[in-house]
Structure formats: structure tokens, C-alpha cells
């Protein structure tokens, strides 16, 4: 009997391939040019960036890039393990993936909120946004929107999976 996955290919590729790739590229970019990454995070309206980053800022920037890369890698390993080792129990597979996706969705929403909040009066002045800020915001949406879609069941056949799991439980 062939089993289908509770993680359709689109979601698997989005969160186990695309997201880790983005986070790892962000990590590498930060390691290669931390000053540029720092300076490009927001428009410099009333002042210009300093010529050198303070050590605490540099450490914080590297730590943030490391955490982002780590989250991307965790996605890959958890989703791959769920598909491989829980293929026999789609209900459990979905519960494990939900346990991963829920805090990540909260993180997506808070990331967007904090980014907009941090921009202050410039938040709606899109012409002042840096290319890095646009990239961060748009790429954030390319992860948040599919995560919302996953949570509401788009393309997951979630009801059929739950119904099948309940039917299996009744037949035991």
C-alpha cells in the first residue's frame, strides 16, 4: 500500500529547500560583508551609517544570521525526517509539521511587524526603502503566505487525512 505525504511537494520544497537556501545565503552574505548588510537594513534618513560597526553590533549581526541559518537547516531536517520516518502515519506526520510551522508563522508575523515598527516614520515611504529592505520584506512574504496557506489547509487534503486516521483507529 503506497502512502502519500501529509507534506505536499510544494510545501516541502518551499520550507525544506527554498527557506534553508535563503537563510544560508543570508548567513554567508552577513559573514562576507557585515557592514553592508547592517547599513542596508533601513533607510538612513537623518544621518549616515558609521564608518565602522561597533563590536557589539557585529556580534549581534553574526548571531542573528546564525540563528536564521539554523532555523532554515532545522526546517530541512525536521520536514525530511517527518516525510521519511512518519510516512506510515499521516496524522502524526501532520502534527509534527504543525509543531514546526506554528512557531515559524508567529516568527513570520512578528518579523514583519518589527521590521515595519523599526522603520518608524519611514515605514510607508516605500521610495526610501533600500533594496535589502525590499528583499527582506518580499522574501518574508514568500514564506509567510505559504505558511498561512499550510495552516488553513490549502492543498493539504487535511480533512481526508484526518478522516482516514480516524477510520484506521476505529478499525483496530
Amino acid at each position: 500500500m503506497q502512502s502519500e505525504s501529509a507534506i505536499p511537494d510544494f510545501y516541502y520544497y518551499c520550507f525544506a529547500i527554498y527557506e534553508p537556501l535563503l537563510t544560508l545565503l543570508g548567513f554567508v552574505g552577513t559573514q562576507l560583508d557585515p557592514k553592508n548588510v547592517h547599513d542596508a537594513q533601513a533607510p538612513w534618513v537623518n544621518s549616515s551609517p558609521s564608518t565602522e560597526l561597533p563590536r557589539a553590533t557585529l556580534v549581534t549581526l553574526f548571531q542573528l544570521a546564525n540563528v536564521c541559518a539554523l532555523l532554515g537547516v532545522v526546517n530541512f531536517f525536521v520536514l525530511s525526517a517527518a516525510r521519511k520516518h512518519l510516512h506510515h502515519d499521516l496524522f502524526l506526520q501532520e502534527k509534527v509539521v504543525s509543531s514546526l510551522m506554528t512557531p515559524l508563522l508567529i516568527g513570520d508575523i512578528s518579523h514583519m511587524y518589527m521590521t515595519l515598527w523599526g522603520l518608524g516614520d519611514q515605514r510607508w515611504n516605500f521610495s526610501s526603502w533600500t533594496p535589502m529592505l525590499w528583499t527582506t520584506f518580499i522574501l518574508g512574504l514568500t514564506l509567510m503566505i505559504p505558511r498561512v496557506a499550510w495552516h488553513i489547509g490549502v492543498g493539504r487534503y487535511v480533512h481526508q487525512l484526518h478522516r482516514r486516521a480516524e477510520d484506521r483507529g476505529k478499525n483496530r
Side-chain angles (χ1 to χ4, degrees):
M1 181 171 107
Q2 186 179 10
S3 166
E4 57 186 288
S5 176
I7 312 164
D9 289 343
F10 170 78
Y11 292 113
Y12 180 79
Y13 292 121
C14 184
F15 302 124
I17 307 298
Y18 174 66
E19 186 166 23
L21 180 64
L22 289 179
T23 59
L24 289 169
L25 287 172
F27 174 78
V28 170
T30 301
Q31 301 304 308
L32 294 176
D33 193 357
K35 174 88 167 80
N36 186 45
V37 169
H38 171 271
D39 293 350
Q41 291 300 312
W44 292 88
V45 180
N46 297 326
S47 63
S48 60
S50 62
T51 57
E52 192 174 317
L53 293 179
R55 178 69 62 185
T57 301
L58 192 60
V59 169
T60 302
L61 194 60
F62 286 152
Q63 289 172 340
L64 177 61
N66 184 59
V67 169
C68 290
L70 179 63
L71 283 173
V73 172
V74 165
N75 275 4
F76 171 76
F77 281 100
V78 170
L79 294 173
S80 296
R83 265 189 156 190
K84 180 178 180 181
H85 300 292
L86 299 176
H87 63 88
H88 61 282
D89 190 340
L90 299 179
F91 185 75
L92 181 58
Q93 187 182 88
E94 189 171 87
K95 289 296 182 189
V96 168
V97 173
S98 182
S99 295
L100 174 67
M101 291 297 164
T102 300
L104 291 175
L105 178 59
I106 292 167
D108 291 337
I109 293 167
S110 62
H111 176 251
M112 293 295 172
Y113 173 79
M114 284 187 262
T115 299
L116 291 172
W117 174 83
L119 293 173
D121 294 338
Q122 294 300 308
R123 84 177 48 94
W124 306 123
N125 185 3
F126 300 124
S127 64
S128 72
W129 283 23
T130 65
M132 174 73 83
L133 182 55
W134 276 107
T135 301
T136 300
F137 202 80
I138 290 168
L139 292 178
L141 287 174
T142 68
L143 293 168
M144 185 173 70
I145 292 169
R147 231 181 306 272
V148 167
W150 188 90
H151 274 285
I152 62 175
V154 174
R156 284 193 310 140
Y157 309 105
V158 66
H159 301 296
Q160 290 104 336
L161 295 177
H162 286 277
R163 203 171 307 124
R164 280 188 229 142
E166 288 172 359
D167 290 344
R168 275 196 313 256
K170 290 177 187 175
N171 293 332
R172 289 184 184 174

